[in-house]
Amino acid sequence: MRSANLDEIKSALDVPAAIESIEAGFVALSSGAATVPPVGHIGFEAPPGECHIKYGHIHGDAVFVIKIATGFYENPSRGLATGGGMMIVMSAETGEPLSLLDDSGYLTDVRTAIAGCIAARYLAPDAVECIGIVGAGMQARMQLQYLRHVRDCNRVIVWARRGERSAAYRREMADAGYDVRVADSLRDLCDSSNLIVTATASTAPLVRSEWVRPGTHITAMGSDTPGKQELDPLLFARAGVCAVDSLPQCLDHGESGYAVAGGHIAEASLVELGDIIAGKAKGRSNPREITIADLTGVAVQDIQVAKAVWSALRNWA
Amino acid sequence: MRSANLDEIKSALDVPAAIESIEAGFVALSSGAATVPPVGHIGFEAPPGECHIKYGHIHGDAVFVIKIATGFYENPSRGLATGGGMMIVMSAETGEPLSLLDDSGYLTDVRTAIAGCIAARYLAPDAVECIGIVGAGMQARMQLQYLRHVRDCNRVIVWARRGERSAAYRREMADAGYDVRVADSLRDLCDSSNLIVTATASTAPLVRSEWVRPGTHITAMGSDTPGKQELDPLLFARAGVCAVDSLPQCLDHGESGYAVAGGHIAEASLVELGDIIAGKAKGRSNPREITIADLTGVAVQDIQVAKAVWSALRNWA
């Protein structure tokens, strides 16, 4: 088994190839061509932490992937990142371990950012005037930087609950070549942008429906576990397309679950991103409609990003 | 993270230390001091194979362990072993991966053999005249070789469904210093031995109750998955001690499950090996009684054998 460290993984990562790979993963998930067992979980109390094990196989693939992801919430006080983990690529023909991607959770950030980028590819307006970023953490940075692969827009407006974090985000993204303004308010952010990404740990709606301009696309990616919420459920009633990464998962703990439970839209109005990619469901059909992508994170993203990196590493060897 | 290959793992393995470690694991399991989530599983059809993920944490430990085990049934036709896998030792304080034991399934064989050896330590007669081995595969070899750590007996009688495999077993174990006779029949084996280990993939009882001599201990270890069975359920009614590694698991798919379902013994007659080790339940109390150990394999064995190897490797570093 070949092990790859974080530097090797970063060098091997070809973002356009990983985007294609993850798109194919969403299509496989939505068409029933993936086996994705329930996520394994073990919790720890002192210090508080948890470990998730996500794994699965896309039918016909020569490999399958196991991801181990950890979150230990007192790590920052030790000077360590909260999240960590690794991905293991295994042969689906012999069971042999082929590659250990010792990525400390980096590829999870990547595959999450790529899902946002895929949602924007199929749903965002062709002409993005300004990108609104809600949140100022790791995903707020990565989502913006990955969007450049699908939409050409340099203008950014950012909002975070804590003003000093927005200011730090503005400086850092300006260094990366973006023209960033800190929003006066969330309403200001919505007024100024037609592609919005929410990437917070919020547990109550942040973006009010009436603030959102016609023609806007919103990707919400903070609802990765039960109890989180970023969007006003009323927005779903206004949207022309309500896309989800996984229907059962989004109904369970995504933004869409609140909208369906509240009677704002019918479950049948939700479409899976994989079906939009495959052309089985419609994406954006006119420049005035609002579109939403509700992303909770699915194992096919892990499988596909690991495969993309593993293929590149193998070609080097 | 430090990786260890099979040679390093074999060098680091201190069997007496691993026996103590696994005994402590059984005690933790039976006293509720271990968190052991449900086993993860993914299956493959072409070629047929499966992968199990077992993991858990013994409360208070600084580490937890994840084991990935594979079985691909057409591997022998490619010149590969059917089983494979690895164990990963992770920090239970920060989530960091500490050690990858790339053991290709070896430590699973070891921890399985050690469970048999622990059962014999607490239940076998002090004076073992002859060890009866039912089966001639890997575990039939390892069980015998590990028993020397707890009972001093060189005389062996072996039975396997295919005679040529018994003959090969006899030759190989003779080379390892044992005095081995191939049994004429299973009845002959039972007549000749007072410590019997069954290690087959049988799906119907092999050892009939009336063949077993008073004072005999039997460890049955073939019932690791539903549908397997090696012992006549009637034997449980004759036994003074019916020990199991895990009560719920043995009731579900161990030998004991058949005995309880058939009304031959009450569920309350079953005792966990961990409680015997801890002195909370009685082991063998007289030289004439029959004792049974029904072993299905539990994740605490994996955790504890991995910890034992990891500790030794760490002391080297």
Side-chain angles (χ1 to χ4, degrees):
Chain A
M1 176 169 55
R2 189 190 191 297
S3 282
N5 64 28
L6 187 53
D7 286 340
E8 292 170 308
I9 290 165
K10 287 183 174 179
S11 300
L13 181 70
D14 172 338
V15 174
I19 292 171
E20 295 306 320
S21 180
I22 292 178
E23 285 199 5
F26 282 124
V27 170
L29 178 68
S30 296
S31 66
T35 300
V36 182
V39 175
H41 175 262
I42 181 167
F44 303 90
E45 287 181 9
E50 57 189 328
C51 176
H52 287 96
I53 305 176
K54 295 184 177 177
Y55 54 109
H57 178 233
I58 293 181
H59 304 167
D61 272 3
V63 300
F64 67 104
V65 173
I66 299 170
K67 176 172 91 167
I68 298 170
T70 55
F72 279 74
Y73 304 101
E74 292 177 3
N75 274 4
S77 69
R78 302 177 183 226
L80 297 171
T82 300
M86 69 183 84
M87 297 192 186
I88 303 164
V89 181
M90 311 268 298
S91 167
E93 292 169 350
T94 65
E96 290 168 291
L98 300 175
S99 186
L100 173 79
L101 306 178
D102 191 8
D103 71 325
S104 305
Y106 173 73
L107 291 175
T108 297
D109 290 334
V110 168
R111 62 80 150 159
T112 303
I114 287 179
C117 143
I118 293 170
R121 170 180 275 176
Y122 290 91
L123 295 172
D126 290 334
V128 175
E129 302 153 25
C130 179
I131 300 170
I133 300 286
V134 181
M138 173 61 81
Q139 270 304 312
R141 286 162 169 75
M142 290 185 69
Q143 288 286 331
L144 177 61
Q145 294 183 296
Y146 277 73
L147 280 173
R148 69 160 65 112
H149 292 279
V150 298
R151 286 297 182 276
D152 182 22
C153 175
N154 213 35
R155 290 187 56 218
V156 179
I157 181 164
V158 64
W159 179 92
R161 198 177 293 275
R162 285 186 285 156
E164 73 277 13
R165 298 196 72 200
S166 308
Y169 183 92
R170 191 193 59 74
R171 284 192 302 274
E172 196 180 314
M173 293 300 107
D175 288 346
Y178 292 92
D179 171 13
V180 189
R181 178 167 78 81
V182 174
D184 297 329
S185 64
L186 266 172
R187 179 170 201 158
D188 175 27
L189 181 142
C190 294
D191 271 345
S192 308
S193 49
N194 63 344
L195 167 53
I196 298 175
V197 180
T198 62
T200 71
S202 182
T203 54
L206 293 171
V207 175
R208 285 172 60 173
S209 176
E210 64 269 28
W211 297 338
V212 177
R213 290 163 43 188
T216 299
H217 170 71
I218 297 199
T219 292
M221 30 172 323
S223 292
D224 54 347
T225 50
K228 293 191 185 170
Q229 189 175 12
E230 299 179 295
L231 302 186
D232 182 350
L234 290 171
L235 186 62
F236 283 80
R238 290 179 63 202
V241 180
C242 300
V244 295
D245 51 8
S246 155
L247 205 45
Q249 200 165 289
C250 289
L251 285 170
D252 181 67
H253 62 260
E255 304 289 339
S256 318
Y258 294 103
V260 170
H264 304 294
I265 50 162
E267 185 180 322
S269 306
L270 301 173
V271 292
E272 284 196 333
L273 192 52
D275 285 335
I276 294 175
I277 297 167
K280 294 180 186 171
K282 76 174 180 65
R284 170 173 294 273
S285 56
N286 78 66
R288 295 282 300 164
E289 75 184 346
I290 289 172
T291 55
I292 301 175
D294 178 14
L295 304 180
T296 51
V298 288
V300 288
Q301 294 168 251
D302 301 309
I303 297 169
Q304 294 296 86
V305 77
K307 274 168 54 188
V309 170
W310 169 72
S311 297
L313 288 168
R314 198 170 47 153
N315 291 339
W316 287 359
Chain B
M1 176 170 53
R2 190 191 190 296
S3 284
N5 65 28
L6 187 52
D7 286 340
E8 293 170 308
I9 290 165
K10 287 183 174 177
S11 299
L13 180 69
D14 172 338
V15 174
I19 293 172
E20 295 305 321
S21 179
I22 291 178
E23 285 199 3
F26 282 124
V27 170
L29 178 67
S30 296
S31 65
T35 299
V36 181
V39 175
H41 175 262
I42 181 167
F44 303 90
E45 287 181 9
E50 58 189 328
C51 176
H52 287 96
I53 305 176
K54 294 183 179 178
Y55 55 110
H57 178 233
I58 293 180
H59 303 166
D61 273 3
V63 300
F64 68 104
V65 173
I66 300 169
K67 177 173 89 166
I68 298 170
T70 55
F72 279 74
Y73 304 103
E74 292 177 2
N75 274 4
S77 69
R78 301 177 183 225
L80 297 171
T82 300
M86 69 183 83
M87 296 193 187
I88 303 164
V89 181
M90 311 270 296
S91 168
E93 293 168 351
T94 64
E96 290 168 291
L98 300 174
S99 185
L100 172 79
L101 306 178
D102 191 9
D103 71 326
S104 304
Y106 173 72
L107 291 175
T108 298
D109 290 335
V110 168
R111 62 80 150 161
T112 304
I114 286 179
C117 144
I118 292 170
R121 171 180 273 176
Y122 289 91
L123 295 172
D126 290 334
V128 175
E129 302 154 23
C130 179
I131 299 169
I133 300 287
V134 181
M138 174 61 81
Q139 270 304 309
R141 286 162 169 75
M142 290 186 68
Q143 289 285 331
L144 177 61
Q145 294 185 295
Y146 276 74
L147 281 172
R148 69 160 65 111
H149 292 279
V150 298
R151 286 296 184 276
D152 182 25
C153 175
N154 213 36
R155 291 186 57 216
V156 179
I157 182 165
V158 63
W159 179 92
R161 199 177 293 274
R162 287 185 285 157
E164 72 278 14
R165 297 197 71 200
S166 308
Y169 183 93
R170 190 193 60 73
R171 284 192 302 275
E172 196 181 313
M173 293 298 108
D175 287 347
Y178 293 93
D179 171 15
V180 188
R181 178 167 79 80
V182 173
D184 297 330
S185 64
L186 266 172
R187 179 171 201 156
D188 175 26
L189 181 142
C190 294
D191 271 346
S192 308
S193 49
N194 62 344
L195 167 53
I196 298 174
V197 179
T198 62
T200 71
S202 181
T203 54
L206 293 171
V207 175
R208 286 172 59 175
S209 176
E210 63 269 28
W211 296 340
V212 177
R213 290 162 43 188
T216 298
H217 169 73
I218 297 198
T219 292
M221 31 171 323
S223 292
D224 54 346
T225 49
K228 293 192 185 170
Q229 189 175 12
E230 299 179 295
L231 303 185
D232 182 350
L234 290 171
L235 186 63
F236 283 80
R238 289 179 63 202
V241 179
C242 300
V244 295
D245 51 8
S246 154
L247 205 45
Q249 199 164 289
C250 288
L251 285 170
D252 181 68
H253 62 261
E255 304 289 339
S256 318
Y258 295 104
V260 170
H264 305 294
I265 50 161
E267 186 179 322
S269 305
L270 301 173
V271 291
E272 283 196 334
L273 192 52
D275 284 335
I276 295 175
I277 296 167
K280 293 180 187 170
K282 77 175 180 65
R284 171 173 294 273
S285 56
N286 78 66
R288 296 281 299 163
E289 75 184 346
I290 288 171
T291 55
I292 301 175
D294 178 14
L295 304 181
T296 51
V298 286
V300 288
Q301 294 166 252
D302 301 310
I303 297 169
Q304 294 296 87
V305 78
K307 274 169 53 189
V309 170
W310 169 72
S311 297
L313 288 168
R314 198 171 47 154
N315 291 338
W316 287 0

